């Protein structure tokens, strides 16, 4: 039934899990908000942008491993994961984790992603989450590393002493000043009740293999603990890339232009036009989560047309997940005799790391038009 689609999908694939090869994450930065490319509303970093159903396959982000995860042995501990459209940190969905910590164990964990990344010397991790209901259960990210004989790990607590491969990163309490734009919200309450927690890990000669999330009982408690936690986003980022300047959106061009009259005035000239065109630009797609397309629309005498002030908020048109965007039937005020019309398109890159790019650094293209002689 449609009402149980997501639960049935997870059950179907989990039954086949042992027969299917796992695709590993092989490069950094790795960022996912668990968006399925659809939703009942669209959210941007905890703030609601649009209400109503939407569907865009290119907006889908990396999904976690399937299945129900139970503790080995006779323990009754378990964790179940599934995507949920009820709430989201970014996009249209988030990952819901339900679980049980039995009295005989201190924690339960679930493996979310397989990694195969020779890591740089310093890595930053981030997790955006919130618990459903009141609970004292604690949540944390964990990593496993390979090449243990040559792997040197700093800033971690070893959880598996036998293999030395599973580690719990220590929270990043005082972010470096130069990383303020990325770590400014670490440990704080965010929009919609979300919380962001950040970690710093120093590694040498290691290979990241798994990314897990663990849930531990409150200190001193020996009772059975159940929990419902919602994950909004996970990041694994090379520290050096956070210090490097972001690439600029360049070479914004406008092509395939089409004009249609919308409203005709008393003199037989159109007073409103519908503009359709295609925007192209240059940008390294691996560095961007998506692009937000905006516009300014102006008409006036040719001598008075000037740059739009930076304080004025442009009109948001839509999202692009490639280096192009098709504008369809944009309503524009027609230019009169002796006047120039001006439409300015702005391309805002949305970095995977989540911080905002100043408007002065967005890509820009201007379309000027006038009444035919």
């Amino acid at each position: 039934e449609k009402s149980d689609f997501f639960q049935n999908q997870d059950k179907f694939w989990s039954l086949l899990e042992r027969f299917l090869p796992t695709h590993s994450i092989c490069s950094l930065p790795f960022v996912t908000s668990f968006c399925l490319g659809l939703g009942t509303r669209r959210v941007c970093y905890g703030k609601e942008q649009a209400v109503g159903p939407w569907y865009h396959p290119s907006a889908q982000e990396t999904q976690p491993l399937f299945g129900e995860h139970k503790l080995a042995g006779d323990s009754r501990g378990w964790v179940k994961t599934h995507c949920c459209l009820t709430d989201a940190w970014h996009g249209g969905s988030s990952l819901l984790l339900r679980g049980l910590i039995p009295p005989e164990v201190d924690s339960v964990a679930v493996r979310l992603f397989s990694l195969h990344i020779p890591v740089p010397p310093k890595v930053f991790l981030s997790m955006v989450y919130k618990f459903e209901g009141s609970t004292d259960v604690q949540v944390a990210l964990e990593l496993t590393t390979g090449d243990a004989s040559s792997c040197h790990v700093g800033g971690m607590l070893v959880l598996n002493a036998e293999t030395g491969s599973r580690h719990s990163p220590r929270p990043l309490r005082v972010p470096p000043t130069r990383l303020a734009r990325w770590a400014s919200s670490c440990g704080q309450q965010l929009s919609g009740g979300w919380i962001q927690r950040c970690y710093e890990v120093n590694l040498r000669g290691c290979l990241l293999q798994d990314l897990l999330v663990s849930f531990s009982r409150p200190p001193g408690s020996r009772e059975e603990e159940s929990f419902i936690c919602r994950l909004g986003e996970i990041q694994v980022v090379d520290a050096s890339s956070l210090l490097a300047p972001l690439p600029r959106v360049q070479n914004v061009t406008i092509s395939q232009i089409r004009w249609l009259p919308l409203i005709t005035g008393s003199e037989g000239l159109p007073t409103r036009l519908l503009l359709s065109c295609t925007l192209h630009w240059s940008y390294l797609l691996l560095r961007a989560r998506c692009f937000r397309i905006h516009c300014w629309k102006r008409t006036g005498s040719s001598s008075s047309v000037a740059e739009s002030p930076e304080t004025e908020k442009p009109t948001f048109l839509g999202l692009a997940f490639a280096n192009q965007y098709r504008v369809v039937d944009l309503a524009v005020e027609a230019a009169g005799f002796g006047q120039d019309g001006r439409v300015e398109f702005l391309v805002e890159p949305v970095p995977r790391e989540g911080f905002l790019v100043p408007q002065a650094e967005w890509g820009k293209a201007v379309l000027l038009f006038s009444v035919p002689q």
Side-chain angles (χ1 to χ4, degrees):
E1 296 295 329
K2 288 192 294 184
S3 60
D4 298 323
F5 174 79
F6 292 115
Q7 293 88 332
N8 290 337
Q9 175 175 256
D10 289 348
K11 183 178 180 180
F12 175 83
W13 289 111
S14 65
L15 292 171
L16 298 176
E17 184 178 16
R18 67 181 185 275
F19 302 110
L20 303 175
T22 299
H23 291 266
S24 299
I25 309 301
C26 297
S27 62
L28 297 180
F30 168 59
V31 179
T32 182
S33 295
F34 308 101
C35 181
L36 294 169
L38 55 91
T40 57
R41 60 182 185 140
R42 190 188 293 277
V43 181
C44 181
Y45 302 122
K47 297 181 180 179
E48 189 174 78
Q49 283 194 318
V51 178
W54 64 275
Y55 180 76
H56 198 317
S58 295
Q60 185 178 104
E61 298 189 337
T62 306
Q63 299 299 307
L65 302 172
F66 285 102
E68 178 180 343
H69 305 265
K70 297 182 179 180
L71 297 184
D74 298 328
S75 174
R76 296 179 292 113
W78 55 269
V79 183
K80 294 180 181 179
T81 67
H82 66 271
C83 271
C84 179
L85 303 181
T86 304
D87 201 354
W89 164 250
H90 188 81
S93 56
S94 55
L95 186 68
L96 201 64
L97 299 98
R98 303 174 184 268
L100 178 72
I101 308 174
E104 62 267 21
V105 300
D106 292 326
S107 65
V108 294
V110 56
R111 175 175 173 250
L112 294 183
F113 298 101
S114 171
L115 309 175
H116 190 82
I117 304 174
V119 291
K122 183 177 290 188
V123 174
F124 288 101
L125 298 93
S126 169
M127 171 178 60
V128 177
Y129 70 95
K130 63 179 174 181
F131 281 99
E132 303 287 313
S134 178
T135 181
D136 292 324
V137 170
Q138 298 176 344
V139 60
L141 288 179
E142 294 179 3
L143 293 169
T144 65
T145 56
D147 297 337
S149 60
S150 61
C151 179
H152 174 76
V153 181
M156 282 190 175
L157 301 174
V158 177
L159 297 181
N160 191 330
E162 294 181 0
T163 64
S165 64
R166 185 169 157 190
H167 313 274
S168 178
R170 293 190 179 99
L172 182 63
R173 302 189 184 281
V174 183
T177 304
R178 291 186 297 171
L179 297 178
R181 65 176 181 176
W182 179 78
S184 59
S185 300
C186 290
Q188 297 183 14
Q189 192 89 9
L190 307 176
S191 300
W194 297 94
I195 299 173
Q196 183 178 18
R197 182 173 295 177
C198 303
Y199 306 86
E200 177 182 352
V201 178
N202 299 296
L203 302 166
R204 188 170 66 246
C206 302
L207 185 73
L208 289 186
Q209 289 187 326
D210 299 292
L211 182 63
L212 308 94
V213 59
S214 69
F215 299 90
S216 55
R217 65 172 58 258
S221 168
R222 300 313 307 173
E223 302 293 327
E224 181 177 275
E225 299 282 351
S226 61
F227 59 86
I228 302 176
C229 181
R230 191 179 296 276
L231 281 185
E233 182 180 76
I234 285 181
Q235 294 190 29
V236 184
V237 184
D238 180 358
S240 62
S241 70
L242 293 175
L243 299 175
L246 284 172
R248 294 286 189 100
V249 174
Q250 297 179 326
N251 305 321
V252 183
T253 61
I254 306 173
S255 62
Q256 298 175 312
I257 300 172
R258 186 194 69 178
W259 296 96
L260 288 176
L262 179 61
I263 301 176
T264 303
S266 58
E267 299 180 359
L269 295 175
T271 59
R272 299 276 283 175
L273 303 169
L274 293 180
L275 167 63
S276 297
C277 61
T278 301
L279 306 178
H280 296 264
W281 59 88
S282 299
Y283 195 88
L284 184 62
L285 285 177
L286 291 177
R287 298 295 303 274
R289 181 174 239 160
C290 63
F291 302 90
R292 292 169 51 83
I293 312 303
H294 312 262
C295 79
W296 271 307
K297 295 175 286 186
R298 295 291 183 86
T299 58
S301 64
S302 57
S303 60
S304 65
V305 175
E307 293 291 325
S308 300
E310 296 298 328
T311 55
E312 182 184 346
K313 187 175 181 180
T315 301
F316 173 68
L317 297 181
L319 297 175
F321 296 87
N323 286 348
Q324 64 177 4
Y325 180 82
R326 180 65 180 172
V327 178
V328 179
D329 292 341
L330 176 67
V332 176
E333 183 180 349
F337 285 112
Q339 292 183 326
D340 288 333
R342 177 189 180 97
V343 181
E344 184 173 315
F345 294 103
L346 303 171
V347 181
E348 174 192 1
V350 179
R352 294 188 181 275
E353 295 84 0
F355 40 77
L356 297 177
V357 175
Q359 187 172 308
E361 299 179 14
W362 298 357
K364 183 191 325 183
V366 177
L367 180 65
L368 298 177
F369 62 95
S370 59
V371 177
Q373 298 298 321

